Amino acid sequence: MAVETKFVVVRKGEEKMTFANKKDADAYDKMLDMADTFTEWLSQSGLEIDEVLAENIALHLAEQKDAVQHILRTSKLPETIAVVADETTEETAEPVAVEHVEADAETEEKAAPAPKKARAVKAA
């Protein structure tokens, strides 16, 4: 007979997710805490959004916290977000649109080489 240990994340008396190890369960619980905080923040913002939408946005922000942090630091989308968006486009768009997107990316790389930084030279 095998013995299995399972870690269950419970919120408001409801089982949310079951994990095989404590580290993953703790990470998921922390993400849910962050989502709760985002939900509260959104509800206090004065925006006119319903509670379900606020919870969905908050959960998405918490799940994508690395991307959110990158955007806040750099004001740019992270590379991984662009890849995920391309994959989503491939699944939902017509093949012509996907080919057009790929052609644009190649054209931009060829047309605009990265500018080189000037270096200061010290006299000997």
Side-chain angles (χ1 to χ4, degrees):
M1 180 165 92
V3 176
E4 291 183 17
T5 302
K6 294 185 179 185
F7 296 87
V8 180
V9 177
V10 178
R11 288 290 176 134
K12 300 176 185 173
E14 179 183 336
E15 289 186 14
K16 293 293 185 178
M17 188 79 73
T18 303
F19 296 91
N21 62 49
K22 184 172 177 20
K23 181 180 176 184
D24 290 343
D26 286 341
Y28 187 76
D29 187 49
K30 184 176 179 181
M31 190 264 311
L32 291 177
D33 285 340
M34 190 181 313
D36 286 344
T37 303
F38 275 131
T39 302
E40 184 178 336
W41 178 67
L42 287 169
S43 67
Q44 294 175 355
S45 70
L47 297 172
E48 294 183 20
I49 56 176
D50 67 2
E51 187 175 338
V52 174
L53 180 59
E55 288 175 359
N56 288 337
I57 292 171
L59 188 58
H60 180 73
L61 290 172
E63 288 172 343
Q64 302 298 320
K65 75 173 188 160
D66 293 334
V68 170
Q69 289 172 340
H70 179 81
I71 292 167
L72 289 172
R73 277 193 315 270
T74 65
S75 298
K76 295 180 183 177
L77 287 176
E79 295 285 328
T80 55
I81 296 299
V83 171
V84 171
D86 287 345
E87 290 172 1
T88 304
T89 302
E90 289 176 8
E91 293 172 3
T92 60
E94 297 176 16
V96 174
V98 173
E99 290 173 11
H100 179 68
V101 171
E102 291 171 0
D104 285 345
E106 291 173 4
T107 305
E108 287 178 15
E109 288 177 10
K110 292 177 185 175
K116 295 183 179 180
K117 294 183 179 179
R119 289 187 165 177
V121 179
K122 292 184 180 180

